[in-house]
Amino acid sequence: MEDQLQGTFAEVLQRNPGEVELHQAVREVFESLVPVLRKNPQYTEAAVLERICEPERQIIFRVPWVDDSGQVRINRGFRVEYNSALGPYKGGLRFHPSVYLGTVKFLGFEQVFKNALTGLPIGGGKGGSDFDPRGRSDGEVMRFCQSFMTELYRHIGEYTDVPAGDIGVGAREIGFLFGQYKRITNRYESGVLTGKGLTWGGSLVRKEATGYGCVIFADRMLATRSESLDGLRVSISGSGNVAIYAAEKAQQLGSRVITFSDSSGYVVDEAGIDLDLLKQIKEVERGRVSDYVDRRPGARFVTEGNLWEVPTDVALPCATQNELTDKDAERLVANGVRAVAEGANMPCTREAVALLREHRVLFGPGKAANAGGVATSALEMQQNASRDSWSFDYTEQRLGEIMATIHDQCLATADEYDAPGDYVVGANVGGFTRVADAIISLGVV
Ligand code: NDP
C-alpha cells in the first residue's frame, strides 16, 4: 500500500481497536486503491478515504425482554449508519451471539461498496444484536424484536435508513419488527424495512435474490472461459436463506449440488441434494442439517474437518465470515475447483483470496456476487413507493439484468486498471469511485 493508504489504515486500526473484521475489510479494499488514488488526486485532496472509513453514525442500545420463564434478559442492539452519499442507509440486521460492534462495522463498510455497485440509489448501513434466536420460542423472538424496534424506530425511515434481514433475521423477525414499527409510529410505512411478507408489502424474488444472484454471477464468470454451471458439481456451505436459494438456482442451471452445512457439521449427498427435503427441515421445522440424513438414504453427516475437503468444481461459501481459509483454498485448488463465488459476506480469508487469485481460479467477491439481495431490496422499495407489486418473472428478469451489469462492470473496471479478469479489483474500485465521486459532490457534510 502507498503512504497515504498506509497512514489512513493506521488511523483505522487506532480508532477501531480490536475490531479485526473491520480491519480485514478495510485493508482488502485499500489494497485495490493504489492506482485509483494516483489517477484521481481529487480523492486525496478531499480526504475521501478518511471520510469513507468513519461511519456517519453509530447507535448502540440496550434491548430488555422477558423470556418464557419470566426472566428478564438483556441484549445489546446496534445500528451503524455508514454512508448515505448515494441514498438512504441500507443493509440488514444480524441476530447472532457473536455480533459486536466490529461485526456490524465490517458488514456496514462492505455494504457501502456493494450497494454502490448495484447502481441503485442506496447508501450503506448494517445492524444487529448479540441475541440468539436459535432455540427460542416464537413468543420470545417476538418480544425481543418488539423491544429492539422500540429503540430502533427513531433512527430509521424510508428516506433515512432501511434495514432488512441477515443471519438470524428472516421473514418471521421482519414481521415482528415491522408490526412494532407500525404500532409505535401509527404509519403503514412499507418502505421502512425490506424482506417483508408478500401479503404486506414484500417483493417476489427477494427471498431468493441473494442466492440466485450469486449463482447467476458464478455462471457469468464461467462463461468468460466458455464454460457453464450445467453438469458441474457445486459445493455450498450454510443452510440458511442464501445457501438454500443458491442451491435452487444452481440446480435450475443443471448443476449437481452436493453439500450444505450449519455450525454443527456438513452434509454430503453425492446424488445431488433433495431441496424440498432441505427446505422442509430448515424453513418449516427450523431443524438442523443432521436431520436430513435420517430421511435421505446415501447422504452422510460429517462433523470432522469441513466441506471444502469434498472435491468440487464450484464452491459457494454462503454461511459466515472467514469460513474458508488458505488451507481450504489449497485443497479446493488441488481438487481442480474452477470458480468460487462468495454468497456470504467476507467468507474467504484474505490469504484464501490471495491463493485463489494466484491460481487464476475465477473468484467473485461478496460485494459483487451477493449484491442481488440488496438490489432486490431496492426493487422492493421501488414497489412500495409506487404502491405496486411486480410479477415473479419480471422481478427475476430485473435481478438477472442487475447481476449481469455488476459482473460486466467489474470486468470493465478491472481492465481499465490493468487487472484483466480480476473481480476483486473491479468490485472494490467500481464501488469506491461511485461513492467517492458522490461524497465530493455533496461537499463537506
Ligand atoms: P441465515 O441465518 O439464513 O443462515 C446462516 C447459515 O450460516 C446457517 O446455516 C448457519 O448455521 C450458518 N452459520 C452462521 N454462523 C455460522 C458459524 N459461525 N459457523 C458455521 N455456520 C454458521 O443467514 P443468511 O443465509 O441470510 O446469511 C448468510 C450469509 O450471507 C451471511 O454472511 C450474510 O451476511 C450474507 N448475506 C445475506 C444476505 C441476505 O439477503 N440474507 C444478503 C447478502 C449477504 P447455524 O444455524 O448452525 O448457525
Side-chain angles (χ1 to χ4, degrees):
M1 277 194 268
E2 283 197 331
D3 286 354
Q4 198 222 338
L5 286 158
Q6 289 283 12
T8 310
F9 186 61
E11 261 175 49
V12 169
L13 297 183
Q14 189 243 320
R15 291 168 79 90
N16 306 280
E19 296 177 355
V20 289
E21 298 87 355
L22 176 70
H23 305 165
Q24 182 183 342
V26 171
R27 182 171 179 169
E28 197 249 315
V29 170
F30 277 20
E31 282 173 346
S32 301
L33 294 184
V34 173
V36 183
L37 296 188
R38 282 196 197 136
K39 200 169 163 185
N40 298 279
Q42 73 277 18
Y43 295 155
T44 305
E45 284 153 23
V48 165
L49 279 183
E50 293 83 339
R51 289 155 75 182
I52 245 172
C53 289
E54 184 67 16
E56 290 174 15
R57 195 173 294 110
Q58 305 179 49
I59 302 147
I60 304 179
F61 50 98
R62 188 180 63 165
V63 189
W65 57 283
V66 180
D67 73 14
D68 284 347
S69 69
Q71 194 183 333
V72 175
R73 303 270 179 174
I74 301 295
N75 285 98
R76 189 171 280 182
F78 304 92
R79 187 72 185 166
V80 172
E81 298 180 332
Y82 226 106
N83 193 292
S84 60
L86 293 175
Y89 310 104
K90 181 89 199 84
L93 299 170
R94 177 176 293 190
F95 291 170
H96 193 271
S98 64
V99 168
Y100 75 113
L101 185 59
T103 322
V104 180
K105 273 156 87 175
F106 117 67
L107 290 165
F109 182 81
E110 291 272 299
Q111 195 82 45
V112 171
F113 304 100
K114 179 191 310 190
N115 293 4
L117 273 180
T118 66
L120 297 162
I122 39 179
K126 202 84 189 188
S129 174
D130 56 2
F131 171 72
D132 190 354
R134 285 171 305 183
R136 291 284 172 200
S137 68
D138 285 352
E140 290 178 317
V141 171
M142 180 181 75
R143 289 193 293 281
F144 173 81
C145 288
Q146 290 175 339
S147 181
F148 186 87
M149 184 54 86
T150 300
E151 173 60 31
L152 187 69
Y153 90 95
R154 65 187 90 244
H155 306 290
I156 61 176
E158 66 180 304
Y159 298 108
T160 313
D161 183 353
V162 184
D166 190 85
I167 291 178
V169 179
R172 174 182 61 171
E173 289 75 17
I174 293 291
F176 295 147
L177 291 163
F178 183 65
Q180 183 72 350
Y181 181 86
K182 183 175 80 62
R183 185 177 191 194
I184 295 173
T185 60
N186 195 29
R187 284 163 68 89
Y188 207 105
E189 191 184 328
S190 303
V192 72
L193 288 170
T194 58
K196 298 182 293 296
L198 295 176
T199 53
W200 42 277
S203 171
L204 287 162
V205 191
R206 175 60 189 93
K207 180 175 68 173
E208 294 83 357
T210 309
Y212 275 24
C214 178
V215 170
I216 294 168
F217 195 93
D219 201 42
R220 280 192 87 90
M221 290 201 300
L222 287 163
T224 64
R225 295 188 182 169
S226 306
E227 294 184 74
S228 85
L229 277 165
D230 193 10
L232 297 189
R233 288 160 65 88
V234 173
S235 290
I236 295 180
S237 63
S239 51
N241 173 261
V242 180
I244 286 175
Y245 292 95
E248 184 164 283
K249 180 53 77 181
Q251 288 187 344
Q252 285 171 9
L253 295 181
S255 318
R256 184 149 51 102
V257 179
I258 51 170
T259 66
F260 56 86
S261 67
D262 63 20
S263 50
S264 57
Y266 67 95
V267 169
V268 185
D269 188 345
E270 285 288 349
I273 67 171
D274 178 341
L275 200 53
D276 289 338
L277 176 57
L278 179 61
K279 283 184 183 176
Q280 170 66 25
I281 291 167
K282 297 305 293 188
E283 295 186 334
V284 181
E285 300 168 18
R286 294 186 184 272
R288 308 298 294 161
V289 296
S290 50
D291 301 343
Y292 178 92
V293 296
D294 300 336
R295 298 186 225 167
R296 176 81 173 166
R300 55 198 170 89
F301 178 59
V302 189
T303 53
E304 299 285 303
N306 74 29
L307 64 86
W308 310 121
E309 291 166 18
V310 181
T312 194
D313 299 312
V314 175
L316 306 177
C318 295
T320 193
Q321 62 270 12
N322 292 328
E323 54 161 310
L324 195 161
T325 66
D326 49 348
K327 292 221 162 33
D328 302 323
E330 252 167 41
R331 216 171 281 126
L332 284 169
V333 168
N335 286 330
V337 75
R338 302 176 201 190
V340 177
E342 294 185 321
N345 284 309
M346 211 168 72
C348 299
T349 64
R350 191 167 155 265
E351 296 76 20
V353 175
L355 204 134
L356 294 169
R357 288 162 82 194
E358 195 182 303
H359 285 85
R360 297 193 41 76
V361 174
L362 292 164
F363 176 72
K367 279 184 207 81
N370 72 37
V374 74
T376 309
S377 276
L379 302 183
E380 183 174 331
M381 290 163 71
Q382 277 186 35
Q383 293 169 71
N384 294 151
S386 58
R387 300 187 189 281
D388 196 2
S389 56
W390 304 342
S391 69
F392 192 97
D393 288 350
Y394 175 69
T395 318
E396 192 183 12
Q397 180 203 324
R398 292 283 302 266
L399 170 66
E401 288 164 3
I402 292 168
M403 294 313 297
T405 306
I406 294 174
H407 173 273
D408 296 353
Q409 277 181 0
C410 283
L411 280 189
T413 308
D415 276 346
E416 191 187 331
Y417 283 88
D418 291 330
D422 191 329
Y423 293 89
V424 173
V425 169
N428 286 338
V429 174
F432 175 81
T433 51
R434 189 152 188 261
V435 184
D437 291 341
I439 286 178
I440 293 179
S441 302
L442 300 185
V444 180
V445 289

